[in-house]
Amino acid sequence: MKTIITIFGSTGDLTIRKLLPAINHLLEENLLPDNTKIFAIGRRDYNTEKYFEFISNNLQTKYDLSRLRRHVEYFKLDVDNLKDYQILNTMISGISKEPTRRIFYLAVGPDLLKDIAENLSKSNLVIKGDTQASVTFEKPFGEDLNSATEINNLLWQYFDESQIYRIDHYLGKEMIQNILTVRFANKIFENSWNNHAVKSIRLLVKENEPIFSRAGYYDKSGALKDMVQSHLLQMLALVGMEVPLSYQSEDLKNEKVEVLKKLRYDSKSLIIGQYEGYLDELNIPSDSKTETFVFLKAFVDTPRFKGVPFYLLTGKALEKKESLIEIEFEESSQQQKWHLPLQNNILTIQIAPLDGISLRLNSKVPGLKDEVEQVELDYCISCDHVGNMPEAYEKLILDMNGHHKSLFTGWDEILNSWKFIDQVKTDIERKNIPLTIYKSSKELYDLILEREGVHFENI
Ligand SMILES: NC(=O)c1ccc[n+]([C@@H]2O[C@H](COP(=O)([O-])OP(=O)(O)OC[C@H]3O[C@@H](n4cnc5c(N)ncnc54)[C@H](OP(=O)(O)O)[C@@H]3O)[C@@H](O)[C@H]2O)c1
């Protein structure tokens, strides 16, 4: 079947840095059909030639654009002009008389969402219930529960839920997808993924870079809304969920929602921070209280995980870029009898920048003495597949094309994650949680160690 992808915001960072390279790679690998057509929508007075000149001048990593040139056509459109959508509809209908998969990708800020959604519907580019036509929305999906609900009600006015794809690109990452395989396809974890065997769980998304030029968005959002509401809560839900009825999208989503409904956190554990120098960043108000760091201890009150702390940590301008999940298991029941320096088993799922998985075990030191050492069973997926690791957006575009929705966020997940974030935000205000100004991550990790007795420094 033919595929037509229409990208709104075709001159933006997301399109140039992520979407076009992903589409290019899918075409190269014949994973998208050769007759795929891309409409690059923009407000600038470009034609296709000028558009490619613009892309070429703005590429961070150069690659051959000749394949894309065969598929991409620039189309100038005013987002609030219905006539432009009608012309686009005539063009799209003229391309193919056969059933065609039509994806409308909104790579634009949330302020344009209403106009575009309304005009896509009014122009009949997307008819409610037509399963061949779908609309893709990027995060952020709202800025709190009320605004997210408002957006969602608007979308449901024009589209069926089955036509709506809400992207959290973390879900397209290789190791995020692998969480379910590790959990459910390995007998050794089947009986140990619970509060009898797991001592604590750490979920980290560390960034070493500051905010760069994203002041407009970031200062309104902050780390809680930017990272915890989406990536960290999705990671937590995948780790904390029950065995799904099946691995179909609906069953997976239902189990993730159950985790989010049972989620609570200890407000005494909450640490919010702002890196020193944030107020000097371009376009940041000099009195901004926006947090660039968050740490909190949460609990999932299900029989499986009741009592197990889930530590969530994310921040900017930290010592390194790293996203991972660490599952620390309890001491073995024989630990006391050994009189040797044993350590707890730790399963680490590395998400970025490297993709991999490792398991720390206690093992006898080779030789005649009775000594024990810790060894890592280590598998670095991205090391073994250098250059061949698919980008998250490749997987997501492919799944959109194939109508697979399990890596996209359902409304119930968004609703429950905003409920959680709104609660934390309210606590910050009501309980006057102080904003720690940090020069280095060590100051934050020392504070966590002092309060919670948990090490983050060498993770
Ligand atoms: N960049 C990423 O890696 C990333 C990752 C995750 C999520 N997102 C989300 O994706 C969305 C787009 O992000 P981005 O980084 O690509 O933003 P961006 O670089 O600011 O690009 C925004 C795009 O929207 C267009 N636009 C802005 N105002 C418009 C208007 N009034 N009428 C028509 N077009 C308009 C811009 O056109 P002009 O070029 O003509 O201004 C540009 O093409 C945002 O919601 C963002 O939060 C981005």
Side-chain angles (χ1 to χ4, degrees):
M1 185 187 291
K2 192 176 176 73
T3 298
I4 299 178
I5 305 175
T6 304
I7 305 175
F8 290 85
S10 68
T11 48
D13 176 72
L14 178 66
T15 304
I16 294 175
R17 219 165 35 86
K18 298 286 182 190
L19 302 183
L20 290 180
I23 291 171
N24 186 50
H25 198 231
L26 292 174
L27 288 166
E28 244 170 41
E29 297 290 316
N30 294 321
L31 292 167
L32 278 177
D34 199 42
N35 58 2
T36 299
K37 174 90 187 169
I38 321 291
F39 281 105
I41 308 293
R43 60 176 162 177
R44 302 186 191 193
D45 205 5
Y46 286 171
N47 55 25
T48 304
E49 196 46 46
K50 198 120 199 280
Y51 178 60
F52 271 97
E53 208 177 293
F54 169 79
I55 299 179
S56 182
N57 293 335
N58 285 280
L59 284 183
Q60 282 175 357
T61 313
K62 299 276 176 216
Y63 62 94
D64 181 6
L65 291 172
S66 56
R67 185 179 300 270
L68 280 179
R69 278 178 199 274
R70 295 208 304 271
H71 296 268
V72 176
E73 180 172 343
Y74 182 82
F75 183 78
K76 181 175 180 297
L77 172 147
D78 274 341
V79 289
D80 51 6
N81 185 353
L82 177 60
K83 263 212 160 110
D84 286 353
Y85 292 80
Q86 288 164 336
I87 297 170
L88 179 65
N89 195 5
T90 309
M91 286 172 74
I92 288 181
S93 316
I95 289 175
S96 168
K97 298 286 168 223
E98 310 145 25
T100 303
R101 178 80 179 105
R102 282 161 288 130
I103 296 168
F104 295 85
Y105 199 123
L106 273 58
V108 291
D111 50 321
L112 300 183
L113 198 144
K114 183 174 179 299
D115 278 343
I116 299 178
E118 187 178 322
N119 284 324
L120 282 176
S121 168
K122 280 188 176 165
S123 62
N124 285 337
L125 273 163
V126 183
I127 296 169
K128 193 170 182 175
D130 173 2
T131 49
Q132 292 308 340
S134 62
V135 193
T136 306
F137 301 94
E138 272 289 341
K139 98 179 178 79
F141 200 84
E143 52 187 49
D144 54 20
L145 181 57
N146 283 340
S147 58
T149 308
E150 210 175 288
I151 295 171
N152 203 60
N153 288 342
L154 177 100
L155 298 186
W156 278 357
Q157 211 183 308
Y158 301 124
F159 318 120
D160 271 353
E161 178 63 19
S162 62
Q163 295 174 286
I164 301 173
Y165 288 70
R166 301 176 196 83
I167 286 221
D168 177 345
H169 72 271
Y170 246 60
L171 296 183
K173 286 188 180 288
E174 192 63 32
M175 286 309 293
I176 295 280
Q177 295 173 58
N178 201 14
I179 294 172
L180 296 184
T181 317
V182 169
R183 275 194 65 177
F184 299 124
N186 291 295
K187 186 70 187 169
I188 54 168
F189 295 123
E190 207 166 282
N191 295 325
S192 55
W193 208 271
N194 53 44
N195 53 9
H196 299 292
V198 172
K199 185 174 181 187
S200 71
I201 295 173
R202 283 176 273 242
L203 304 136
L204 323 177
V205 179
K206 292 182 184 179
E207 294 180 296
N208 54 350
E209 291 175 334
I211 59 158
F212 292 126
S213 56
R214 294 180 69 213
Y217 161 69
Y218 196 87
D219 199 58
K220 273 197 256 148
S221 162
L224 253 176
K225 294 181 178 183
D226 186 39
M227 286 291 175
V228 182
Q229 184 269 332
S230 48
H231 308 332
L232 276 168
L233 290 188
Q234 281 293 329
M235 285 153 70
L236 181 146
L238 287 166
V239 172
M241 69 192 251
E242 288 305 309
V243 184
L245 275 177
S246 79
Y247 293 93
Q248 302 296 314
S249 163
E250 274 316 297
D251 290 332
L252 288 169
K253 281 191 201 337
N254 288 344
E255 293 306 339
K256 285 200 282 171
V257 169
E258 285 311 305
V259 172
L260 295 170
K261 282 184 181 164
K262 302 275 166 47
L263 187 64
R264 67 179 170 88
Y265 87 108
D266 172 4
S267 63
K268 288 197 211 78
S269 70
L270 181 62
I271 297 173
I272 51 171
Q274 186 185 77
Y275 66 81
E276 199 178 73
Y278 177 76
L279 299 182
D280 303 326
E281 300 279 15
L282 195 66
N283 297 328
I284 295 291
S286 58
D287 59 350
S288 171
K289 297 272 181 284
T290 299
E291 78 288 346
T292 61
F293 173 87
V294 181
F295 166 82
L296 59 85
K297 177 168 71 177
F299 294 93
V300 177
D301 283 335
T302 55
R304 178 185 292 274
F305 273 124
K306 199 168 178 51
V308 175
F310 285 68
Y311 299 105
L312 276 60
L313 182 148
T314 185
K316 292 207 173 279
L318 299 179
E319 82 289 7
K320 62 177 160 182
K321 179 178 170 63
E322 183 152 66
S323 299
L324 57 79
I325 300 170
E326 270 200 358
I327 305 195
E328 178 173 357
F329 292 89
E330 294 281 3
E331 294 180 354
S332 86
S333 56
Q334 301 298 306
Q335 200 136 338
Q336 305 303 331
K337 296 183 200 158
W338 278 74
H339 306 296
L340 284 169
L342 301 184
Q343 288 193 18
N344 294 350
N345 300 133
I346 293 183
L347 175 72
T348 306
I349 299 173
Q350 274 188 308
I351 297 154
L354 291 178
D355 307 65
I357 186 156
S358 66
L359 181 62
R360 183 172 82 182
L361 298 176
N362 293 302
S363 178
K364 184 184 171 303
V365 176
L368 301 177
K369 289 187 187 161
D370 283 338
E371 283 177 351
V372 169
E373 64 180 346
Q374 282 71 51
V375 295
E376 296 278 345
L377 303 185
D378 205 350
Y379 175 43
C380 169
I381 299 178
S382 40
C383 304
D384 280 12
H385 294 79
V386 178
N388 290 323
M389 286 294 287
E391 269 281 332
Y393 278 99
E394 290 176 37
K395 173 69 179 156
L396 295 172
I397 292 169
L398 203 57
D399 279 8
M400 268 179 245
N401 195 37
H403 302 268
H404 303 306
K405 291 199 82 183
S406 49
L407 300 180
F408 297 85
T409 321
W411 168 240
D412 277 357
E413 293 169 78
I414 305 242
L415 178 138
N416 284 288
S417 57
W418 275 125
K419 273 189 187 166
F420 180 78
I421 298 298
D422 282 2
Q423 178 63 55
V424 180
K425 277 279 178 197
T426 308
D427 287 347
I428 290 175
E429 274 171 36
R430 291 220 182 116
K431 298 182 180 175
N432 261 329
I433 306 286
L435 186 69
T436 303
I437 306 298
Y438 60 95
K439 272 193 202 144
S440 71
S441 6
K442 184 167 183 333
E443 296 161 47
L444 298 163
Y445 303 153
D446 285 350
L447 194 57
I448 297 170
L449 185 61
E450 188 188 307
R451 287 208 196 158
E452 297 293 332
V454 190
H455 285 274
F456 275 91
E457 189 158 0
N458 295 317
I459 298 183

